[in-house]
């Protein structure tokens, strides 16, 4: 069956979360953390990046740890730092190389586009709108908004319902082996794994395709019809 819909993950698929968090962490250190020299600053930034676990960690837990690990320039609370996160992180959002060109190409072929992302309503919607992605999509699903979360197949089924397409005629692209690939497979979609952000779990069933660059997707869609 010809491809009628292409669905995407957001973080580290359409937007470069790793690069965004690097920029945010540097800004955070300059704003809050007392450092002794440039070498110490680099070490503190790297610590924060590792402690964040690529976003798979509760923000309050992260900031409570940072308050115990580092000396702050001024007295602050975890609440203050969490508020700063929600106010500032989305401003550092960076689109992945080739993402806009790919979305334009797919839309020109009258293929329906969907976006499914885990995360808070404020954070994910702010990132989407910061880089003006929303207008490309026929359906945008944020996990906290619908009370479903990848890899639950129901969140993929909800997106298909909103797009008015079948799983067999749809393909999903994401960077996370379990949340994206396994989740989409369990809902019956074709799957494309974008390498680079996460290591593959060899215990999982392989995706239909593996890519390193988003521009590879166009050829895959053309080959599938």
């Amino acid at each position: 069956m010809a491809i009628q819909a292409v669905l995407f993950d957001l973080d580290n698929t359409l937007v470069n979360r790793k690069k965004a968090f690097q920029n945010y962490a540097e800004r955070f250190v300059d704003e809050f953390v007392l450092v002794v020299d440039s070498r110490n600053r680099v070490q503190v930034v790297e610590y924060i990046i590792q402690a964040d676990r690529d976003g798979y960690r509760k923000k309050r837990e992260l900031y409570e740890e940072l308050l115990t690990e580092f000396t702050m320039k001024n007295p602050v609370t975890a609440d203050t730092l969490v508020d700063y996160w929600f106010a500032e992180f989305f401003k550092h959002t960076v689109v992945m190389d080739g993402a806009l060109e790919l979305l334009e190409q797919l839309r020109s072929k009258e293929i329906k586009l969907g976006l499914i992302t885990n995360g808070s309503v404020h954070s994910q919607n702010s990132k989407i709108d910061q880089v003006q992605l929303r207008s490309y999509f026929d359906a945008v699903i944020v996990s906290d908004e619908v009370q479903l979360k990848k890899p639950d197949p129901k969140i993929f089924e909800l997106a298909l319902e909103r797009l008015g397409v079948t799983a067999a005629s749809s393909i999903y692209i994401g960077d996370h082996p379990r949340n994206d690939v396994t989740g989409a497979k369990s809902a019956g979609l074709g799957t494309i794994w974008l390498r680079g952000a996460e290591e593959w779990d060899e215990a999982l069933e392989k995706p239909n395709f593996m890519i390193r660059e988003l521009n590879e997707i166009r050829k895959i869609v053309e080959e599938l019809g």
Side-chain angles (χ1 to χ4, degrees):
M1 183 180 291
I3 294 297
Q4 297 179 339
V6 177
L7 296 87
F8 293 86
D9 169 47
L10 181 64
D11 291 305
N12 291 323
T13 300
L14 289 177
V15 300
N16 192 329
R17 188 191 186 278
K18 288 183 180 293
K19 186 174 181 179
F21 194 81
Q22 169 83 35
N23 295 340
Y24 167 81
E26 292 176 356
R27 173 72 181 274
F28 176 88
V29 170
D30 292 341
E31 185 77 18
F32 294 104
V33 183
L34 188 65
V35 296
V36 295
D37 53 32
S38 60
R39 182 177 179 182
N40 178 233
R41 179 180 181 272
V42 170
Q43 292 171 336
V44 173
V45 169
E46 183 59 29
Y47 182 99
I48 294 171
I49 291 171
Q50 295 301 318
D52 176 64
R53 299 175 195 162
D54 205 22
Y56 295 101
R57 189 179 185 186
K58 294 183 183 300
K59 288 298 169 285
R60 176 170 295 281
E61 178 184 288
L62 169 64
Y63 289 120
E64 286 174 348
E65 177 181 329
L66 299 185
L67 285 173
T68 64
E69 288 292 328
F70 302 115
T71 301
M72 299 294 160
K73 293 179 178 179
N74 297 296
V76 290
T77 65
D79 284 338
T80 300
L81 300 183
V82 170
D83 288 345
Y84 181 82
W85 162 265
F86 282 111
E88 294 295 325
F89 178 62
F90 75 90
K91 298 176 184 177
H92 298 273
T93 306
V94 180
V95 176
M96 292 284 274
D97 290 342
L100 298 181
E101 294 84 354
L102 174 63
L103 295 173
E104 291 279 6
Q105 291 164 358
L106 294 174
R107 285 197 68 85
S108 72
K109 297 179 181 296
E110 298 185 353
I111 293 174
K112 292 186 176 181
L113 299 180
L115 177 61
I116 307 174
T117 177
N118 285 351
S120 76
V121 175
H122 169 78
S123 292
Q124 301 309 87
N125 280 323
S126 295
K127 284 186 279 189
I128 291 165
D129 293 331
Q130 178 72 14
V131 290
Q132 301 179 347
L133 288 178
R134 191 176 302 277
S135 62
Y136 289 101
F137 292 96
D138 301 289
V140 174
I141 308 277
V142 179
S143 64
D144 282 8
E145 189 170 33
V146 298
Q147 296 301 296
L148 294 168
K149 188 174 183 178
K150 297 181 293 183
D152 187 339
K154 291 180 181 178
I155 196 169
F156 297 93
E157 292 164 359
L158 176 61
L160 295 174
E161 180 182 335
R162 291 187 180 182
L163 290 170
V165 296
T166 65
S169 67
S170 305
I171 197 161
Y172 184 86
I173 300 99
D175 70 288
H176 197 281
R178 187 174 300 278
N179 290 349
D180 294 320
V181 176
T182 298
K185 271 187 172 292
S186 66
L189 288 83
T191 54
I192 300 175
W193 178 48
L194 179 60
R195 298 171 180 260
E198 300 285 338
E199 293 293 326
W200 185 260
D201 183 347
E202 294 300 330
L204 300 177
E205 183 182 353
K206 297 290 187 183
N208 298 103
F209 303 92
M210 297 183 182
I211 62 172
R212 291 193 180 277
E213 304 287 343
L214 286 175
N215 59 22
E216 298 174 56
I217 293 171
R218 180 182 178 182
K219 183 178 179 181
I220 292 172
V221 171
E222 289 175 350
E223 289 176 351
L224 293 173

